[in-house]
Each structure stands twice: as C-alpha cells, then as structure tokens.
C-alpha cells in the first residue's frame, strides 16, 4: 500500500504542498478546478493505483480557500470535518432546497450532499496541526462574491468555516473507492463581496507549505 494521495486544483497549490513534504512518499497531483473534474481525475488515479496493486492509504483534497471572516483569518489552516456540496439542489420561492430534500429515492443520491471526513485521518491531522480550525468546508461551483450570497450561505450552513471548489468531488471519488478522505485548506481571502486585489494568495500558499509538513 502506498502513502497518501494529495490532490490540488492548480499546479501552484501542488508545488506549495510538495515544498513542505521534504522527500516524503506522498503523491501530489493537480487535477483541475471544480468538483466534476477533480472528482473524475481523483477516481481515475485511485482506480489505476488499485489496479496496480498499490492502493492509496488516504486522499487529501488540499489547496487555498475563502474563509468566513468570523471563523477564520487569512493565512489560517482549516481541516474539513465534512465536505458539503453547498449549491447542489434547487431554488424555490421559499429558498434553496438541498438535493436530499427533493424527494428523490435514496439510491439516486449516491453519497448525498455531505461527505464526512475519515475520523482517524482527521484526528491524525488535528494532532499534527493543533492550531487548525476544524469545521465543514463548502464546495461551490460559483465562488461567493456578494454580501447577499454570503449571508445566504451563512444561514444554510451556520457552522461552515470555508468554501472551495473541489472537496466534495474528491470526497465522492474517495468514498466510492473505499479510501479515507479529508480536506485541508489554507485561507487566501474572506468570503464576501469580490475584491480580487485583497486576496493574499502568497500568504495562503506559504501557509499550505507549512501545513503540508503534517502530511509526512
């Protein structure tokens, strides 16, 4: 059995993770942006490893994220205790309806809109990263960029700490493969009205390198 598989969205995140590994056997692969491509690519990597007789011990979805300002600060590390498909569902005059409340047969929902992190893997990383904030990480297809949409997310997910674009897709791939999963993020910007100039990607990537030491 090989070590962890760490998947990121973009090469810059993969490079930041690799910089903290110092020759570790952890495999780091940038798989693309968004839950669909990240999930498909992760499933392919897991299938190839299993077919080769060297299945991965666990999967980590890692990278930068936006954080809810009252929960985390820019540069903080976040561990997702569950990954949530925050916009998977339907709009209605009464508000957003999560997919598991639409009356579909359970067998059509697969993993459902929430995938919990593997308890043992999460506990190991919590021990290695005692200052990390632990909580739900939302997966969105459209990055939140207004005060109204930020407030809507807060109402639907009051305990969420961050949002990103890949975690849920990677979590579903790991769940179907029977491989432990967890999400690790570092915060580059507060969630809210879009202000690209205020993003501190350099700080978040440096924090990701520091946090990646825990993945050894």
């Amino acid at each position: 059995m090989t070590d962890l598989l760490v998947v990121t969205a973009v090469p810059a995140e993969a490079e930041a993770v690799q910089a903290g590994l110092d020759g570790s056997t952890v495999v780091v692969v940038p798989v693309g942006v968004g839950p669909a491509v990240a999930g498909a690519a992760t499933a392919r990597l897991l299938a190839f490893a299993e077919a080769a007789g060297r299945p991965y011990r666990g999967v980590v979805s890692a990278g930068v994220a936006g954080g809810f300002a009252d929960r985390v600060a820019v540069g903080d590390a976040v561990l997702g205790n569950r990954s949530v498909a925050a916009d998977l569902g339907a709009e209605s005059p009464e508000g957003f309806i999560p997919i598991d409340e639409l009356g579909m047969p359970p067998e059509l929902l697969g993993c459902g809109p929430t995938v919990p992190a593997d308890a043992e893997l999460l506990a190991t990383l919590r021990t290695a990263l005692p200052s990390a904030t632990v909580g739900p990480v939302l997966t969105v297809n459209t990055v939140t960029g207004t005060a109204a949409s930020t407030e809507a997310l807060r109402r639907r997910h009051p305990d969420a700490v961050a949002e990103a674009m890949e975690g849920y897709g990677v979590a579903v791939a790991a769940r179907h493969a029977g491989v432990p999963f967890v999400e690790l993020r570092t915060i580059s910007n507060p969630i809210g009205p879009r202000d690209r100039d205020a993003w501190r990607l350099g700080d978040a990537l440096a924090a990701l390198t520091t946090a990646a030491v825990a993945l050894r």
Side-chain angles (χ1 to χ4, degrees):
M1 181 176 286
T2 60
D3 211 321
L4 291 178
L5 170 65
V6 179
V7 294
T8 70
V10 298
E13 293 168 323
E15 291 164 5
V17 171
Q18 288 171 327
L21 293 178
D22 190 28
S24 167
T25 59
V26 175
V27 177
V28 185
V29 183
V31 294
V33 176
V37 67
T42 300
R44 185 170 182 266
L45 291 167
L46 294 175
F48 282 169
E50 184 175 0
R54 301 180 65 225
Y56 288 105
R57 188 176 304 166
V59 181
V60 180
S61 177
V64 303
F68 287 99
D70 59 339
R71 305 296 304 278
V72 290
V74 171
D76 283 356
V78 165
L79 290 169
N81 58 8
R82 57 187 185 272
S83 296
V84 182
D87 51 12
L88 184 61
E91 290 186 326
S92 78
E94 291 74 36
F96 180 80
I97 305 173
I99 194 168
D100 56 345
E101 296 179 14
L102 291 177
M104 296 181 183
E107 62 269 18
L108 296 182
L109 297 178
C111 294
T114 298
V115 180
D118 177 77
E120 184 176 350
L121 186 53
L122 177 61
T124 298
L125 290 181
R126 289 186 73 170
T127 299
L129 296 170
S131 63
T133 299
V134 180
V137 177
L138 308 181
T139 298
V140 295
N141 285 279
T142 301
V143 173
T144 304
T146 68
S149 55
T150 301
E151 182 56 31
L153 276 184
R154 286 182 184 277
R155 288 196 302 269
R156 298 205 308 266
H157 306 283
D159 56 348
V161 295
E163 73 166 21
M165 300 183 75
E166 294 79 32
Y168 177 76
V170 177
V172 170
R175 172 66 68 87
H176 279 279
V179 177
F181 164 84
V182 73
E183 188 165 0
L184 167 64
R185 299 283 173 178
T186 53
I187 304 304
S188 61
N189 58 282
I191 299 170
R194 186 170 176 80
D195 180 7
R196 188 66 174 78
D197 292 336
W199 288 20
R200 288 163 48 190
L201 282 173
D203 291 346
L205 291 172
L208 189 58
T209 296
T210 300
V213 173
L215 301 176
R216 298 178 187 175

